[in-house]
Amino acid sequence: MNALRFCLNDRWLEFSGIAPSTTLLRYLRDTQRLTGTKEGCAEGDCGACTVVVVEKDVEGKPSFRAVNSCLLLLPMLHGKRIYTVEALNSAEGLHPAQAALVEHAGSQCGYCTPGVVMSLFEAAYRTDLDEPWKLDAALCGNLCRCTGYRSIRDAAKQVAGSCPKDRFSDQLAGAAPGPMQLTYSAGPQRFVTPGSLGELWDVLEANPAARLVMGGTDLGLEITKRYAEPALLVSLEALEPLRGIREQPDGTAWLGAATFLTDVEAWSRGKLPPLERMLRYFGARQVKNRATVGGNLCTASPIGDLAPVLLALGARFVLASRAGERRVPAEEFFLAYRKTALGPREVLAAVEVPPLPPGARASSYKVSKRREMDISTVSAAFFVQLDDGGRVTAARLAYGGMAATPARSRSAERVLVGNPWGLETVTAAANELTRDFTPLTDHRGSAAYRLLVARNLLRGFHDETAGTPVPRLPHPHTATAHVGGGGA
Amino acid sequence: MSSHPSSPLHRPTPHESAHRHVTGEALYVDDLPAPPRMLHAQVVTSPVASGRLVRVDSTRARALPGISAVLLAADIPGENNVGPVVKDEPVLAAETVEYLGQSVALVVGDSPAACRAGASLVEMELEPLQPVLSLEEAISAESFLGPPQAISQGEVDGALAFAPLRFSGEVRSGAQDHFYLETQVSLAVPEEGGALKVYCSTQHPSEVQHLVAHALGWGSHQVTVEVPRMGGGFGGKETQAAPFAVLASLAAVKLGRPVKLWLNRDQDMAQTGKRHPFLARFEAGFDAEGHLLGLDARLYSDGGWATDLSRAIMDRALFHLDNAYYVPACRFVGQVCRTNLPSNTAFRGFGGPQGMLVMEEVLNRAAERLGLDPAVVRARNFYADAPRNETPYGQLVTDNRLTRLRAELLESSDYASRRAQVDAWNRSATHLRRGIGFQPVKFGISFTTGFLNQAGALVVMYTDGSVQLNHGGTEMGQGLHTKMRVLCEHELGVCADRVRVMNTATDKVPNTSATAASSGADLNGQAVAEACAQLRERLRPVAAALLGVPAEEAGELSFHGNAVHARGQSVPMVRLAREAYLRQVPLSATGYYRTPGIHFDPRTGRGRPFHYFAYGAAVVEVELSGLTGEHRVTRVDILHDAGRSLVPNIDRGQVEGAFVQGLGWLTCEELLFNAQGKLLTHSPDTYKIPSLGDAPEDFRVQLLEQAPQDGVIHGSKAVGEPPFMLALGVVTALRHAVSSFGPSGREVKLGVPCTPEAVLRAVVAARVR
């Protein structure tokens, strides 16, 4: 079969002949003439193109997920249900997400509005919006240049988590979307979604130049910004063995590489605060709804935000090939700038995060020009273990944005280990950072700023963990190391 | 006429397009159905910031399948220029290129992909020249756009010489991209008989019409420009939509086919101008109580490669250096610099924010040096009774609402006790510090180019009593169409569903001014009201006859609820319109308005450039981290003077949106060019406008009550730009927080934009003892 099939606004469509690198946004606007969905940036940074896809959550149940249609390639949608803004209103009137925006005057020029509506639509059916910051997190992926957001926030407060009972909620009661195995080609381009690992190894052996893809939030940019036309993309999306989160008997968490970060974030809440904190500011909801553990790690970007957390927590990476699995420590995975330990025809299957030992202190930090939806200037995650006398017995200080790869500062760690955990030791350790890091000056920040922040975050970690060894982020908070307020 | 309780005026009303916005039905230019045989186009741009264009060869590009044409400068039949004031802006580069990103050729083809392929095959041979890429380079090279502009008052040298506190300094402000969510787009469609229809996302359809005609060598009557709505403008589509509209039009006429030119985000940001960066060098004198005695300020703005509106923007910067404060002696000189960068242009505030920032910095630094509450220093310098009511350009501040705003806002925001709490917090805090700032704004309303202050409207009633409303203003989200419809409902007594606001089109209302300078509702509102009043007065005798009211008593007829009422009887509008038609009464009317009494003489720097002043005030509280420089606006209280607001929820939206846009300019938005003049931050990946979490969590906006403005439509006031500058309070609040890291009595070294890095640098400087 060489046909794509998906359900757009409750209508199943089947077609072939359209290039597999066609984005959903272009298909909606150019082919379907559904122009409610707008292009504001074609890089997943503005949210004007937001649509909603029905996606299986980690428990296998269907849920609505707001996604950036500008970064979604058509074959990624095979077998799925998609809703655009045009589907929402009916003879009965506006959907509550739409009505709330009208009521609170949440549209001015209206160009971002369909995207905002679709993010609100997702939020309307969520049952986990139990903390105020989650509204910000749900909507930070929708830039609006007109309103100043107060009205959008008020609309969100009204509609989020309201779980309306309607033809859409019926979708959530039904079965989850089925397997999405696919072999699709049009012209010189091919897109393959293997349905099993065996099939994956076959494809990789037959096509050494194949590119692996999951959510497409990084690779999509090559297509929308550099107009790449990849000859063969192999999607890992239908491979159940790479997906999900499992807590093992010894407390180790197994995070499947093909698990969406939204699901990892939901799981991490309260369980693994260093991961939870990083995922809060990892990116927009739309991006986390498609980005995966494996995608973020395998690009091996120096500013991939998961890496410092996994380095600090002492995670193991599970690498799989036809020959079986092997495990490498996190710090042995990142070899050089955008180069990993993955061999040919080998994929990242999962990461295993050991439980925090009793008495450990651990936290994570992300500093960027804008708090939400920005790339790290510096990110950091720290782990220290103390003995009964308050001496450091183990330390892992991991940074992003400081070197060509995410990396630990071994020099600073050496200063810590064996010494009493206190300001003096922390300051001495911070002074060692320059031995390990010579960061760049770029448009995100100067080298001097990066170094100073790297030092200060260690100080912040010390102060922040004095009371709570593994702190969550308070709400609201000003800084990634939200510590050191007055007593007034 | 009597105003009826059912009139929608001064009451909340949803945005005229709100329903269509949320359903996705609202059409923007790029959403219009493609006309048959439509072609796409892409601009080929200069790869260097300055150079001589030796040769452009499009042979290979033209040979590519799917390519219809490649236009070069020589292909332009008429005038190769779109300079709105000074003719220094070629549509396509002819002999030289003046910035990296300048349009050199236009590739026209079947699809965007074909155009892209074609564009990559256009060959350019260039002799690079040394570009001017910064204000400093321009100043030392005396690379200027026109002579200096100046206003002055009193004896500034003497005032400074005897000032107890005298200091000098520099103030810089950065560029800001408009980041309208809808990028620049035009669709040109040839019509029969040598005519052209241009659908364009522009704030200035008349200028686009005229420039398209000039480039084609046509009469303006051959070109119609229509604006459905814009996905944001903010000044970025006042002049800078025109070059792309002209390019699409040239191609459409040459090929006899519809041509769409849509810029993607990266192209838009690389090619179009921004808010002008400014550099100010000043010397200020104060007495010990913080009264400003004299200010000598020299402003330099980066105009980019072409003049555009830069000189008018400098005028407004000079007119707003004073902001809300009486300056007994001053010399304000402005110089627009020419650099090899995109041509900077109008952006909400139009130089006002850059001018005001200088004064606010001067006051902050004085307050810091004197150890005074900056809010107190501000109040001490407010415009007041004569003689402290004369602006540096000679206009008297006669409708001063500053004192009232300050009193009401400081009380409602609990400023004094909150400032004390902030100071107490900071005394015991280590890393997290707080700050609070008070920011007044006075903003002059009118185009400073006097003749632009005019507007027209065309109101058409059909025989069923339904109405089409045309006016000269464009809708970019600001709610102008909503306000105009409300005025029409009020004047004619018809209901919203019987009034349709039409797309702005040059064949309906000609020779319009740009929708800009916050003036859209002021100017067009008067024209709409006048046109509606004409229609109403023509209908009045007809209605009187139908109701059996004697003609001399027709004045008591009340128009409301789609009917005309008198003495307990009514006649529905549907019947009245029909009757008027049968009686051969004309059912269309044009309205026209010009602002009276404004003038300014640039030679003397004196005059009355503004019809009136709009006012506002804000109290802003922030928290910052001394570890990372990250910061957050925790609470904002705004009291804004929108006169007797035409539609209060629309005005509140303008205040909130303007504040957050100003917050972006002052905190997170940073445009960076490399050493070759290439924009590095050309997409939202690297250019950061505020997102939802950056908006103040506690955001209290009130409109000043009981504040009608004389001489403005129904007592309202312009509201688009003034609240942008309320965000300057963020800087004052951040400085307050930073100052807590060091000893008092010292100037805080914080520049804008106050990125986390800039704040941390200031904290480090403050800590040095």
Side-chain angles (χ1 to χ4, degrees), chain A residues 157-464:
Chain A
K157 283 177 188 163
Q158 177 173 315
V159 74
S162 61
C163 298
K165 294 281 169 275
D166 54 20
R167 63 198 163 99
F168 300 107
S169 62
D170 292 347
Q171 295 295 332
L172 302 180
M180 300 163 291
Q181 194 275 343
L182 173 72
T183 302
Y184 178 79
S185 63
Q189 291 182 271
R190 262 202 306 155
F191 191 104
V192 177
T193 308
S196 69
L197 283 173
E199 203 184 322
L200 172 67
W201 310 136
D202 292 346
V203 174
L204 295 183
E205 278 162 22
N207 302 280
R211 298 264 324 255
L212 296 177
V213 63
M214 251 310 301
T217 53
D218 194 57
L219 183 132
L221 298 180
E222 291 180 30
I223 289 162
T224 61
K225 294 282 162 161
R226 295 201 286 279
Y227 308 107
E229 294 177 354
L232 173 58
L233 291 175
V234 176
S235 165
L236 308 178
E237 202 159 344
L239 296 172
E240 291 300 328
L242 305 186
R243 214 160 164 179
I245 299 165
R246 293 199 286 275
E247 293 176 51
Q248 295 170 352
D250 67 347
T252 296
W254 182 96
L255 309 177
T259 312
F260 295 123
L261 293 180
T262 294
D263 296 312
V264 177
E265 185 180 16
W267 169 83
S268 70
R269 281 189 53 215
K271 285 194 178 134
L272 206 49
L275 187 57
E276 176 190 0
R277 288 170 64 122
M278 192 60 90
L279 285 171
R280 162 73 179 93
Y281 290 119
F282 179 94
R285 176 88 182 167
Q286 291 94 319
V287 169
K288 287 188 280 195
N289 276 342
R290 286 294 297 168
T292 57
V293 174
N296 189 242
L297 296 171
C298 292
T299 58
S301 161
I303 33 126
D305 286 336
L306 282 185
V309 178
L310 297 174
L311 286 166
L313 297 181
R316 288 176 302 273
F317 286 27
V318 183
L319 280 49
S321 65
R322 199 192 286 281
E325 290 187 348
R326 65 182 176 117
R327 282 167 170 70
V328 300
E331 57 264 34
E332 290 173 23
F333 185 74
F334 304 105
L335 301 182
Y337 180 71
R338 291 191 175 271
K339 189 165 163 32
T340 70
L342 283 170
R345 297 176 299 283
E346 191 172 42
V347 302
L348 181 68
V351 295
E352 291 175 339
V353 188
L356 286 167
R361 290 159 192 247
S363 195
S364 71
Y365 306 93
K366 170 169 174 165
V367 179
S368 45
K369 197 178 274 182
R370 183 174 67 197
R371 191 171 296 115
E372 292 170 327
M373 205 173 40
D374 199 356
I375 289 166
S376 297
T377 309
V378 177
S379 61
F382 305 128
F383 168 96
V384 293
Q385 177 125 36
L386 312 183
D387 64 17
D388 290 343
R391 277 179 196 277
V392 178
T393 57
R396 288 188 292 269
L397 311 178
Y399 286 93
M402 295 293 288
T405 66
R408 286 166 60 181
S409 175
R410 303 287 186 167
S411 306
E413 291 172 4
R414 269 195 296 276
V415 170
L416 290 183
V417 174
N419 285 309
W421 178 245
L423 265 188
E424 200 179 321
T425 312
V426 165
T427 306
N431 287 339
E432 295 294 300
L433 289 171
T434 49
R435 283 184 195 274
D436 295 342
F437 298 130
T438 36
L440 294 175
T441 291
D442 65 10
H443 53 270
R444 296 198 178 92
S446 68
Y449 177 67
R450 286 192 160 102
L451 271 172
L452 182 55
V453 166
R455 292 171 53 101
N456 287 352
L457 287 178
L458 197 55
R459 165 71 194 268
F461 172 63
H462 170 270
D463 292 4
E464 194 183 15

Side-chain angles (χ1 to χ4, degrees), chain B residues 484-681:
Chain B
M484 296 305 100
R485 195 196 65 202
V486 161
L487 284 172
C488 179
E489 293 169 53
H490 173 82
E491 297 289 342
L492 288 173
V494 291
C495 296
D497 62 354
R498 301 289 281 172
V499 182
R500 181 171 165 216
V501 187
M502 305 303 290
N503 288 352
T504 311
T506 57
D507 57 352
K508 298 290 179 53
V509 180
N511 309 321
T512 53
S513 293
T515 308
S518 306
S519 67
D522 282 17
L523 301 176
N524 293 290
Q526 299 274 16
V528 166
E530 198 216 1
C532 291
Q534 285 176 37
L535 262 187
R536 187 186 64 229
E537 294 315 309
R538 285 185 218 150
L539 290 169
R540 192 181 293 277
V542 183
L546 288 174
L547 288 164
V549 174
E552 59 275 18
E553 291 167 35
E556 70 187 63
L557 297 181
S558 169
F559 287 68
H560 65 263
N562 279 337
V564 183
H565 312 258
R567 301 176 182 178
Q569 298 181 74
S570 62
V571 54
M573 197 61 83
V574 55
R575 185 164 163 234
L576 175 59
R578 178 79 191 162
E579 185 65 24
Y581 168 73
L582 294 175
R583 295 183 184 210
Q584 295 168 299
V585 174
L587 288 176
S588 75
T590 58
Y592 177 80
Y593 175 74
R594 75 174 77 84
T595 311
I598 50 184
H599 55 89
F600 179 73
D601 182 349
R603 286 163 307 167
T604 60
R606 311 287 289 175
R608 186 177 182 274
F610 303 118
H611 188 38
Y612 63 94
F613 295 105
Y615 300 93
V619 168
V620 181
E621 188 171 340
V622 301
E623 185 174 85
L624 64 79
S625 163
L627 291 172
T628 58
E630 294 163 285
H631 51 82
R632 181 169 63 99
V633 178
T634 51
R635 177 172 162 186
V636 173
D637 295 68
I638 289 174
L639 184 58
H640 194 79
D641 169 23
R644 192 170 181 216
S645 171
L646 293 175
V647 184
N649 57 306
I650 297 279
D651 286 350
R652 182 183 180 191
Q654 286 297 293
V655 174
E656 291 168 343
F659 181 89
V660 171
Q661 211 169 59
L663 175 70
W665 174 54
L666 294 165
T667 59
C668 52
E669 296 181 38
E670 196 167 29
L671 283 156
L672 298 167
F673 292 84
N674 73 5
Q676 286 71 49
K678 184 178 166 62
L679 180 64
L680 297 174
T681 51

Side-chain angles (χ1 to χ4, degrees), chain B residues 78 185 204 226 286 298 368 462:
Chain B
V185 56
H204 203 344
E226 182 172 328
F286 287 83
R298 199 169 181 93
E368 285 156 11
Y462 295 93

Side-chain angles (χ1 to χ4, degrees), chain B residues 331-348:
Chain B
R331 180 166 51 229
F332 298 160
V333 181
Q335 178 68 66
V336 181
C337 297
R338 184 182 186 284
T339 61
N340 294 104
L341 292 169
S343 179
N344 290 320
T345 190
F347 195 149
R348 205 174 200 165

Side-chain angles (χ1 to χ4, degrees), chain B residues 75-362:
Chain B
D75 298 312
I76 299 175
E79 195 182 356
N80 180 14
N81 214 301
V82 287
V85 182
V86 179
K87 291 290 160 196
D88 63 353
E89 195 176 330
V91 186
L92 291 172
E95 280 140 28
T96 59
V97 290
E98 311 287 350
Y99 80 103
L100 198 158
Q102 185 178 353
S103 302
V104 175
L106 186 77
V107 177
V108 191
D110 294 342
S111 67
C115 293
R116 222 161 33 233
S120 69
L121 296 179
V122 174
E123 293 162 25
M124 258 182 263
E125 193 182 320
L126 289 147
E127 277 172 24
L129 299 169
Q130 186 61 37
V132 175
L133 293 173
S134 70
L135 276 169
E136 283 80 358
E137 285 172 48
I139 293 165
S140 67
E142 295 186 19
S143 170
F144 299 138
L145 289 165
Q149 297 149 257
I151 51 178
S152 62
Q153 175 161 274
E155 289 298 322
V156 70
D157 295 323
L160 290 174
F162 295 102
L165 171 66
R166 181 179 176 180
F167 62 98
S168 58
E170 274 191 3
V171 180
R172 277 164 200 278
S173 57
Q176 181 179 30
D177 189 83
H178 302 82
F179 210 88
Y180 26 63
L181 263 287
E182 178 210 33
T183 49
Q184 303 277 0
V185 56
S186 285
L187 166 62
V189 185
E191 295 184 321
E192 69 173 73
L196 190 69
K197 177 80 172 270
V198 184
Y199 300 90
C200 180
S201 180
T202 176
Q203 295 169 241
H204 203 344
S206 284
E207 186 167 87
V208 170
Q209 176 200 17
H210 301 148
L211 290 170
V212 166
H214 295 166
L216 288 164
W218 287 7
S220 289
H221 66 302
Q222 291 169 277
V223 180
T224 309
V225 174
E226 182 172 328
V227 183
R229 61 166 61 70
M230 281 167 275
F234 316 114
K237 295 169 182 171
E238 182 170 352
T239 59
Q240 301 219 346
F244 306 106
V246 167
L247 285 170
S249 300
L250 289 167
V253 169
K254 181 186 170 85
L255 295 164
R257 292 173 67 174
V259 173
K260 178 153 79 181
L261 176 53
W262 170 83
L263 270 58
N264 68 30
R265 179 63 59 187
D266 304 78
Q267 292 164 341
D268 186 296
M269 288 189 72
Q271 281 212 270
T272 64
K274 326 291 177 201
R275 179 184 297 285
H276 289 66
F278 270 61
L279 164 63
R281 294 177 176 146
F282 71 85
E283 184 158 20
F286 287 83
D287 70 14
E289 283 76 46
H291 293 103
L292 180 60
L293 302 177
L295 180 63
D296 187 3
R298 199 169 181 93
L299 270 53
Y300 298 94
S301 72
D302 182 349
W305 70 285
T307 306
D308 191 90
L309 301 171
S310 297
R311 292 183 60 78
I313 288 164
M314 179 57 84
D315 276 339
R316 189 165 278 272
L318 297 172
F319 287 142
H320 287 82
L321 257 170
D322 63 334
N323 188 15
Y325 317 109
Y326 175 63
V327 192
C330 65
R331 180 166 51 229
F332 298 160
V333 181
Q335 178 68 66
V336 181
C337 297
R338 184 182 186 284
T339 61
N340 294 104
L341 292 169
S343 179
N344 290 320
T345 190
F347 195 149
R348 205 174 200 165
F350 205 75
Q354 295 98 315
M356 271 187 211
L357 174 70
V358 176
M359 175 60 90
E360 300 304 325
E361 280 289 301
V362 167

